Amino acid sequence: MNAGASVARGDILIFLHADTELPIHAFRKIQSLTERREYVGGAFDLGIKSDKFIFKDDWNPILIAFPFEQIPFGDQAIFIRREYFNQIGGYKEIPLMEDVELIEKD
């Protein structure tokens, strides 16, 4: 993820797992949130596409913003201002839970 961030060109970085889909109008929602300087990033609520009863839900993913009490995971399409990402040193090179470690940095 750090390698991808180093070659990305935008001011906002979006980190997606390979099996993650952005919700409808995601870029518009991200832009609207990040235009407000008090936010350095955010993520989307987790939604799972499945026919299994345990995953059935009628809600659509909605935008949530930092800071928040729930810690998002990579499956939730984390986005962050490039300047802040660089300031905090990006993702730590660890095999698991690097997304949680990133969110817990201040």
Side-chain angles (χ1 to χ4, degrees):
M1 289 181 280
N2 289 328
S6 72
V7 297
R9 297 182 183 187
D11 293 331
I12 306 298
L13 304 171
I14 303 172
F15 297 97
L16 299 172
H17 286 187
D19 61 349
T20 300
E21 294 180 18
L22 289 172
I24 297 171
H25 307 299
F27 295 118
R28 188 176 331 153
K29 292 175 181 181
I30 292 169
Q31 180 180 14
S32 175
L33 180 81
T34 56
E35 285 174 348
R36 300 170 57 190
R37 295 304 301 172
E38 67 264 29
Y39 296 112
V40 296
F44 291 90
D45 278 344
L46 182 63
I48 299 173
K49 288 183 181 178
S50 175
D51 291 332
K52 294 184 179 184
F53 179 77
I54 193 167
F55 296 121
K56 289 286 185 187
D57 204 341
D58 291 332
W59 52 267
N60 290 320
I62 59 169
L63 190 65
I64 54 177
F66 301 154
F68 44 73
E69 294 181 10
Q70 292 179 323
I71 303 229
F73 297 93
D75 290 329
Q76 292 175 254
I78 294 170
F79 58 92
I80 189 168
R81 292 181 190 280
R82 173 192 296 281
E83 66 184 59
Y84 186 73
F85 180 81
N86 291 337
Q87 177 185 336
I88 62 173
Y91 279 98
K92 188 172 183 177
E93 298 293 335
I94 54 178
L96 291 171
M97 306 302 281
E98 69 285 350
D99 41 7
V100 173
E101 194 276 336
L102 177 83
I103 301 306
E104 291 181 335
K105 290 182 180 182
D106 355 64

